[in-house]
Amino acid sequence: QVQLMESGGGSTQAGGALKLSCAIGRPTDERLCMGWFRQAPGAEREGIAAIEGDLSTVYADSVKGRFTISLGNDRNMLYLQMNSLKPEDSARYYCAAERGCWVAEVQEVPSYEFRGQGTQVSVSA
């Protein structure tokens, strides 16, 4: 089992920034792909960022250049730095993990084996 817990959501105005964190509980020998996805009310889940074990990253076009995914030095924390936020970024954000993963595809993140409970992000105009 991989346990995930997000924190850091909140409210901000357009153009602002937020940083999400995800605490990762896992066996130390697990090879994981990690990622973030979001879901707004009435919308489908959208994979937005993913990171592989070798720290390669991929992003959805909707967030590329504004969001940055990273792992903590001990690889027990996953982060999402969100800059230049827009109202359309408002959603519930989830971190997710896939075991035995070698290549991360951002569109697959919503289907990853494990996910957290999510954290809400609201951006006002």
Side-chain angles (χ1 to χ4, degrees):
Q1 289 288 329
V2 178
Q3 296 177 330
L4 304 170
M5 182 172 291
E6 304 92 339
S7 60
S11 299
T12 188
Q13 293 184 328
L18 288 171
K19 185 174 184 177
L20 305 184
S21 300
C22 176
I24 307 165
R26 64 174 178 178
T28 56
D29 60 350
E30 286 281 2
R31 182 175 181 92
L32 297 175
C33 290
M34 304 289 302
W36 292 91
F37 71 92
R38 65 188 181 186
Q39 188 168 25
E44 294 186 356
R45 294 171 180 171
E46 179 190 15
I48 56 173
I51 186 166
E52 300 171 1
D54 65 357
L55 304 185
S56 298
T57 58
V58 289
Y59 298 93
D61 289 343
S62 59
V63 306
K64 196 174 296 181
R66 301 188 297 122
F67 290 11
T68 303
I69 187 172
S70 62
L71 279 169
N73 290 336
D74 59 5
R75 302 204 176 200
N76 287 330
M77 293 295 295
L78 179 72
Y79 302 102
L80 185 69
Q81 177 66 47
M82 305 186 295
N83 298 329
S84 303
L85 283 162
K86 306 175 182 179
E88 52 263 43
D89 293 318
S90 297
R92 192 162 185 86
Y93 284 70
Y94 300 83
C95 66
E98 181 76 4
R99 292 182 296 185
C101 173
W102 292 84
V103 178
E105 301 287 348
V106 67
Q107 66 271 21
E108 295 179 359
V109 174
S111 301
Y112 278 4
E113 184 176 6
F114 301 100
R115 68 175 67 102
Q117 82 288 350
T119 186
Q120 186 67 37
V121 171
S122 299
V123 185
S124 59

